[in-house]
Amino acid sequence: MPTVSSEELAAAAGVNSAKLRKDFSYLGSYGTRGVGYDVEYLVYQISRELGLTQDWPVVIVGIGNLGAALANYGGFASRGFRVAALLDADTALAGRLVAGLPVRHIDELETIVADNQVSIGVIATPAGAAQEVTDRLVAAGVTSILNFAPTVLSVPDGVDVRKVDLSIELQILAFHEQRKAGDDRPEPDGDVPAVMPA
Amino acid sequence: MPTVSSEELAAAAGVNSAKLRKDFSYLGSYGTRGVGYDVEYLVYQISRELGLTQDWPVVIVGIGNLGAALANYGGFASRGFRVAALLDADTALAGRLVAGLPVRHIDELETIVADNQVSIGVIATPAGAAQEVTDRLVAAGVTSILNFAPTVLSVPDGVDVRKVDLSIELQILAFHEQRKAGDDRPEPDGDVPAVMPA
DNA sequence: CCATCTTTGTGCACGCGTTCACAAAGACAT
DNA sequence: ATGTCTTTGTGAACGCGTGCACAAAGATGG
């Protein structure tokens, strides 16, 4: 039975082993004293806790470059996500295959969400269309939305929205880059604050 | 002179006004007691501190769907990022226009990085090509890398890497979704831990 | 010029999460 | 069995960030 100790895992992850053990303890007592954690069992328990063992049907709305990239993204299937449908307002796209799936018209949204019990929607439309799509998704029964469009969406209580801004990470890199350069020459007028993104 | 108080800003951002004032104070004393913060001046100071006022030339490597989506992403230009070049290993793509820029061959990487003093590279290649591209970028002088490929990159000290996993946000939504559903029926065997992603 | 009012900037206290440190548990050898 | 050794699980201490509360600063009006 292959096992790992909290010490090994902590070293690999670069965190404190006590914290790791305490975190695991919230999921239950899955370790064996003097031995460590059974790898296979631990993986299963964490997967289950994170919802990776469930099947999550999702719809992707807006099949431009980003939508197509998401549809092709390999990481989805392995984490329990199943693309139930690709939707776009452009009728010219309808029927075209993207990542092996036919693009369907946005008007099929309601039917598809209902038939597949979709609770998660991904928005990869232009900013202008995002709110309308959101409203339709919510009305159709979707309760979680991942928004790639550069707009703040308003949703009723009980609906979760997460906004992904592809440039934020770039901005964090630029911030650090500025710091690297700035270590040589002093700042133009004064203060170098102690704050910084993680 | 249009001004804004820490109280107003805090309410809009949904945070504590004291924390906001303390955060601002790290950048210097830009407020006026009894009045608030001069909006224009505050915006400028924060922009400068974040590096938004600088020009950041970047190269995007791997012009598939994701690379193309990034090249078209509007949020870049407004934050000081300038796409110096689009690179791909596929010679068939060479010369094709994406977001108004011609795709150039990966072998031009070294020249382009040197000529434009590029310090930030974006990797949107398949996982298999990511490490090699990274090595070439680093050798050419790039010191910050934004990695969209599903691989962990190894880089020498002094080089920053940020990895973007497009499915992580989806996973967080699924986690909360699971919780919503789980509030009704009890968990299969026991413990509902108190931990959760933000 | 003084009084009053508003809002900043910050010392201080509180609370929460991280880390330390160790008792308890189990494996394994003798 | 008994002892030794390893590693977990967790109570307690510590440290850091958040929020409170107020003095200082400046605006504004009489």
Side-chain angles (χ1 to χ4, degrees):
Chain A
M1 183 178 87
T3 61
V4 274
S5 69
S6 62
E7 204 65 56
E8 292 173 286
L9 281 175
V15 298
N16 183 288
S17 68
K19 175 163 161 42
L20 195 143
R21 285 198 300 278
K22 190 161 282 186
D23 285 355
F24 282 2
S25 77
Y26 287 115
L27 310 179
S29 281
Y30 298 143
T32 306
R33 296 174 189 226
V35 177
Y37 298 88
D38 173 23
V39 172
E40 194 182 348
Y41 188 55
L42 183 63
V43 165
Y44 169 71
Q45 288 298 342
I46 293 177
S47 296
R48 188 180 54 81
E49 196 62 47
L50 293 178
L52 270 53
T53 57
Q54 288 191 31
D55 173 71
W56 295 105
V58 302
V59 290
I60 302 177
V61 186
I63 314 301
N65 280 314
L66 183 57
L70 291 169
N72 281 299
Y73 195 67
F76 286 170
S78 63
R79 287 182 171 92
F81 297 107
R82 180 169 50 81
V83 179
L86 306 175
L87 301 171
D88 201 292
D90 186 353
T91 47
L93 253 62
R96 229 183 73 189
L97 285 181
V98 172
L101 285 159
V103 177
R104 299 166 73 174
H105 190 262
I106 186 73
D107 284 343
E108 298 187 64
L109 187 156
E110 286 76 13
T111 320
I112 291 168
V113 168
D115 290 355
N116 297 79
Q117 296 185 58
V118 175
S119 56
I120 302 178
V122 179
I123 297 183
T125 65
Q131 185 61 56
E132 194 201 322
V133 169
T134 301
D135 295 341
R136 289 183 68 171
L137 284 170
V138 171
V142 166
T143 49
S144 290
I145 291 175
L146 183 59
N147 177 32
F148 285 91
T151 332
V152 176
L153 300 176
S154 66
V155 290
D157 282 359
V159 176
D160 283 346
V161 176
R162 294 192 75 91
K163 185 172 180 298
V164 177
D165 181 340
L166 294 174
S167 70
I168 276 189
E169 296 289 322
L170 207 50
Q171 210 169 311
I172 294 173
L173 281 175
F175 181 79
H176 287 296
E177 195 68 34
Q178 180 177 234
R179 285 303 179 84
K180 287 185 207 166
D183 284 349
D184 307 332
R185 51 159 179 70
E187 281 284 307
D189 64 295
D191 318 283
V192 179
V195 285
M196 71 185 78
Chain B
M1 181 178 88
T3 61
V4 61
S5 70
S6 63
E7 204 65 55
E8 293 173 283
L9 281 175
V15 299
N16 183 285
S17 67
K19 176 163 158 42
L20 195 143
R21 285 198 299 279
K22 192 162 283 185
D23 285 355
F24 282 2
S25 77
Y26 288 115
L27 310 179
S29 280
Y30 298 143
T32 307
R33 295 172 190 228
V35 177
Y37 298 89
D38 173 24
V39 172
E40 194 183 348
Y41 188 55
L42 183 63
V43 166
Y44 169 71
Q45 288 297 343
I46 294 178
S47 296
R48 188 180 55 81
E49 196 63 47
L50 293 178
L52 270 53
T53 57
Q54 288 191 31
D55 173 70
W56 295 106
V58 302
V59 291
I60 301 177
V61 186
I63 312 302
N65 280 315
L66 183 57
L70 291 169
N72 281 298
Y73 194 67
F76 286 170
S78 63
R79 287 183 171 91
F81 298 106
R82 179 169 50 81
V83 179
L86 306 175
L87 300 172
D88 201 292
D90 187 352
T91 47
L93 252 62
R96 229 183 73 188
L97 285 182
V98 172
L101 285 159
V103 177
R104 298 167 73 176
H105 190 263
I106 186 73
D107 284 344
E108 297 186 64
L109 188 154
E110 286 76 11
T111 319
I112 291 168
V113 168
D115 289 356
N116 297 78
Q117 297 185 57
V118 174
S119 57
I120 302 178
V122 178
I123 297 183
T125 65
Q131 185 62 54
E132 194 201 323
V133 168
T134 301
D135 295 342
R136 289 182 68 172
L137 284 170
V138 170
V142 166
T143 49
S144 291
I145 291 175
L146 184 58
N147 177 31
F148 286 91
T151 332
V152 175
L153 300 175
S154 66
V155 291
D157 281 359
V159 176
D160 283 345
V161 176
R162 294 192 73 90
K163 185 172 181 299
V164 177
D165 182 338
L166 295 174
S167 70
I168 277 188
E169 296 289 321
L170 207 50
Q171 211 169 310
I172 294 173
L173 280 176
F175 180 79
H176 288 295
E177 196 67 35
Q178 180 177 232
R179 285 302 178 84
K180 287 185 207 166
D183 284 349
D184 307 332
R185 52 159 179 71
E187 282 284 309
D189 64 296
D191 318 285
V192 178
V195 286
M196 70 185 76

